[in-house]
């Protein structure tokens, strides 16, 4: 199957799974922002998702997308290293020749990916393990598995976790700053006119997206979030 066996096919898979993950991050960000305005509203969303069958199916599908994206990223990175040596993850610098962020991100996608993977494992431990997993297996936890608001408060009352999450967000931003534009290029929707446009659109979109996550973390870290009645 060309999607798996060819280099172009693997890049298409990387692009499609990446776009799907960006859409999930958009949903996740919108959900998290609710916690800044209403703890009860946020917990209603957590309870609606929880360990319901549709949430479990969606989680398994999301996990499959993430694993596929990560595996193909390592394969493509290994191929690029072997083929290009030090000129790894080469991109069309003639389009973004003066974009330092784009150049740096494109040349350090593996490092960024590893940081993102470590942050993801931390996030799963802090929230998914104590919420959905705990509810599925009936594991006793410090707070209710559906008390997402309480878990956010608990996690970001610790400045160490605040710092770790902010570093994670920065890595995701750099990764997406390149990944969004690269996906459009791979899928063939970035002609000569749209190359710079997609780069600009991508930077604005991922900046707003990660700003949303950052505001939530800092809001809870500095006690700006509402309290449950």
């Amino acid at each position: 199957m060309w999607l798996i066996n060819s280099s172009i096919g693997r890049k298409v898979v990387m692009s499609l799974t990446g776009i799907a993950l960006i859409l999930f991050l958009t949903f996740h960000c919108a959900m998290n922002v609710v916690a800044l305005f209403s703890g009860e509203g946020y917990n209603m969303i957590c309870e609606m998702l929880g360990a319901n069958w549709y949430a479990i199916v969606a989680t398994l599908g999301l996990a499959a997308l993430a694993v596929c994206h990560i595996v193909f990223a390592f394969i493509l990175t290994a191929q690029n290293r072997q083929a290009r040596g030090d000129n790894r993850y080469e991109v069309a610098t003639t389009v973004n020749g003066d974009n330092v962020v784009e150049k740096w991100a494109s040349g350090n996608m593996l490092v960024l990916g590893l940081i993102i993977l470590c942050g993801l494992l931390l996030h799963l431990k802090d929230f998914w393990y104590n919420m959905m997993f705990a509810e599925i297996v009936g594991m006793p936890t410090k707070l209710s598995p559906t008390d997402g608001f309480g878990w956010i408060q608990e996690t970001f009352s610790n400045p160490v976790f605040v710092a770790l999450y902010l570093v994670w967000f920065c890595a995701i931003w750099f990764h997406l700053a390149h990944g969004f534009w690269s996906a459009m290029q791979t899928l063939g929707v970035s002609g000569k006119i749209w190359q710079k446009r997609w780069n600009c659109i991508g930077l604005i979109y991922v900046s707003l997206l990660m700003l949303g996550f950052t505001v939530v973390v800092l809001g809870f870290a500095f006690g700006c979030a509402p309290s449950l009645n």
Side-chain angles (χ1 to χ4, degrees):
M1 187 177 180
W2 75 275
L3 282 174
I4 298 175
N5 297 327
S6 71
S7 178
I8 295 176
R10 295 188 188 106
K11 289 180 180 179
V12 170
V13 172
M14 277 281 292
S15 299
L16 293 176
T17 54
I19 290 172
L21 292 171
I22 289 175
L23 292 175
F24 167 74
L25 285 176
T26 303
F27 165 76
H28 197 352
C29 181
M31 175 180 165
N32 284 6
V33 169
V34 173
L36 288 176
F37 300 94
S38 172
E40 293 84 356
Y42 183 76
N43 280 351
M44 284 179 61
I45 298 174
C46 292
E47 189 172 358
M48 180 182 69
L49 297 175
N52 296 302
W53 69 268
Y54 48 83
I56 295 174
V57 170
T59 300
L60 292 174
L62 180 64
L65 286 173
V67 169
C68 184
H69 191 79
I70 292 169
V71 169
F72 276 70
F74 276 104
I75 293 174
L76 287 171
T77 300
Q79 288 179 337
N80 287 332
R81 283 179 177 273
Q82 184 177 12
R84 297 169 182 163
D86 294 332
N87 298 320
R88 46 198 165 92
Y89 233 105
E90 195 172 289
V91 293
T93 53
T94 55
V95 177
N96 301 298
D98 57 345
N99 192 327
V100 177
V101 171
E102 173 71 16
K103 284 184 177 179
W104 188 89
S106 65
N108 294 276
M109 290 296 274
L110 180 60
V111 175
L112 292 171
L114 290 173
I115 295 174
I116 292 170
L117 179 59
C118 291
L120 176 60
L121 294 175
L122 174 65
H123 184 63
L124 290 174
K125 188 272 294 181
D126 289 338
F127 294 97
W128 179 81
Y129 177 76
N130 289 310
M131 297 176 70
M132 180 180 283
F133 180 79
E135 189 175 356
I136 292 173
V137 302
M139 181 181 72
T141 53
K142 182 177 181 179
L143 302 171
S144 169
T146 59
D147 185 12
F149 187 83
W151 285 112
I152 294 179
Q153 287 182 313
E154 173 78 11
T155 301
F156 299 124
S157 62
N158 187 331
V160 173
F161 284 107
V162 172
L164 289 175
Y165 271 82
L166 292 180
V167 170
W168 186 37
F169 295 159
C170 287
I172 295 175
W173 184 86
F174 275 107
H175 188 81
L176 295 184
H178 169 72
F180 186 95
W181 173 85
S182 180
M184 295 300 104
Q185 183 185 50
T186 298
L187 296 176
V189 293
S190 61
K192 291 183 178 180
I193 296 177
W194 276 91
Q195 285 177 330
K196 288 188 176 181
R197 292 180 182 178
W198 277 123
N199 187 46
C200 182
I201 291 171
L203 286 174
I204 294 173
Y205 188 86
V206 301
S207 295
L208 291 175
L209 182 61
M210 301 320 300
L211 178 63
F213 284 110
T214 301
V215 168
V216 172
V217 170
L218 294 179
F220 278 87
F222 290 100
C224 300
S227 58
L228 286 171
N229 294 329

